[in-house]
Amino acid sequence: MHELIDHPCVQHKLAIIRDVETGHKRFRELAKEITKFVCYEALKNIKVKEVKVQTPIAEATCKKIDTDLVVVPVLRAGIGMLEGILELVPTARVGFVGMYRDEVTKEPVSYYERLPTQVKGGTCILIDPMLATGGSTAAAIKALKGAGAGQIVVVCIVTCPEGLELVEQEHPDVTIYAAAIDKCLDERKYIVPGLGDAGDRLFGTTH
Ligand code: PRP
Ligand code: URA
């Protein structure tokens, strides 16, 4: 299952982050801002508990988040989304999955994994700006499931039909939230029109 966040405020920022003229400072700011909007939607179904709060006037029945959330950025580019989601849920725990795409095969190569124990049975939000072939996201989900994750939600900025299909086929229990579902992949497996190499644009590097 996937959901496109087609809100004008998100789409406006997306137009700027896609622009080849947008430098890494602004790119970072926009990645954080877009993440916050997309995560706001992605977290709409998380568990809440009823609490009583004494206001200056009377007792109010309120709701508070009732789940130990674990946010998992896929290194490197997922780091660019971390601040955005932590502004929404500052008490979330953070785990890391390191993954890069092999330049030739385009298959994900796992190089790091550090997950808090709360992943076991917990709700995990996997963040990575690009879901292209879907290989990296599918492998990261597998790692989270291997660690005993309960519910898994994926938040990305740009994806495409090919990547969605792969992840949904391998992990039909996971919901994916995206700010854009682009047309296709090119021969180098980059999303078209996409926004280029998210890691390089976030960190001001070239490869
Ligand atoms: C990018 C991106 C995803 C992956 C998407 O990472 O951040 O992790 O590619 O591609 P896929 O869906 O085809 O697997 P990259 O491998 O460029 O590593 P980086 O984040 O370290 O730059
Ligand atoms: N990784 C990126 O950073 N961008 C793409 O378009 C595909 C994979």
Side-chain angles (χ1 to χ4, degrees):
M1 214 172 84
H2 61 267
E3 196 173 313
L4 172 68
I5 312 304
D6 194 24
H7 190 288
C9 293
V10 175
Q11 297 307 314
H12 180 92
K13 290 178 192 299
L14 197 58
I16 307 169
I17 203 170
R18 284 188 193 273
D19 192 330
V20 68
E21 299 300 333
T22 298
H24 59 273
K25 175 186 176 286
R26 189 72 189 117
F27 191 96
R28 270 203 287 265
E29 292 165 354
L30 287 158
K32 175 181 157 185
E33 292 162 11
I34 294 168
T35 300
K36 208 166 163 180
F37 281 120
V38 180
C39 286
Y40 178 78
E41 269 304 298
L43 296 175
K44 67 186 170 198
N45 293 320
I46 57 167
K47 223 170 116 200
V48 288
K49 64 179 171 203
E50 212 173 271
V51 292
K52 302 281 185 204
V53 172
Q54 184 64 44
T55 78
I57 310 297
E59 188 181 76
T61 305
C62 305
K63 288 174 192 165
K64 277 193 172 176
I65 293 174
D66 183 31
T67 185
D68 219 353
L69 277 187
V70 181
V71 177
V72 182
V74 178
L75 304 176
R76 217 179 17 148
I79 290 287
M81 299 174 74
L82 186 57
E83 235 183 293
I85 183 165
L86 288 182
E87 281 187 4
L88 282 183
V89 275
T91 56
R93 295 170 202 277
V94 183
F96 296 92
V97 171
M99 204 82 78
Y100 71 86
R101 276 199 331 182
D102 182 274
E103 296 262 330
V104 180
T105 64
K106 309 300 178 195
E107 290 294 323
V109 180
S110 166
Y111 62 89
Y112 187 73
E113 193 178 309
R114 184 87 190 230
L115 300 169
T117 52
Q118 287 78 7
V119 162
K120 204 171 167 61
T123 299
C124 297
I125 316 294
L126 187 69
I127 51 174
D128 190 333
M130 310 306 280
L131 196 167
T133 64
S136 304
T137 297
I141 294 171
K142 204 168 158 200
L144 293 180
K145 287 185 174 173
Q151 191 194 4
I152 300 171
V153 174
V154 171
V155 177
C156 63
I157 294 179
V158 184
T159 186
C160 60
E162 193 175 322
L164 285 175
E165 199 184 319
L166 181 108
V167 177
E168 287 175 343
Q169 219 166 54
E170 288 191 18
H171 303 286
D173 52 329
V174 171
T175 307
I176 303 160
Y177 292 85
I181 302 173
D182 282 4
K183 211 166 61 186
C184 58
L185 295 170
D186 67 9
E187 65 288 347
R188 295 178 311 149
K189 304 290 182 194
Y190 274 84
I191 298 173
V192 183
L195 44 77
D197 189 300
D200 281 348
R201 293 198 65 189
L202 272 166
F203 301 115
T205 55
T206 48
H207 64 272

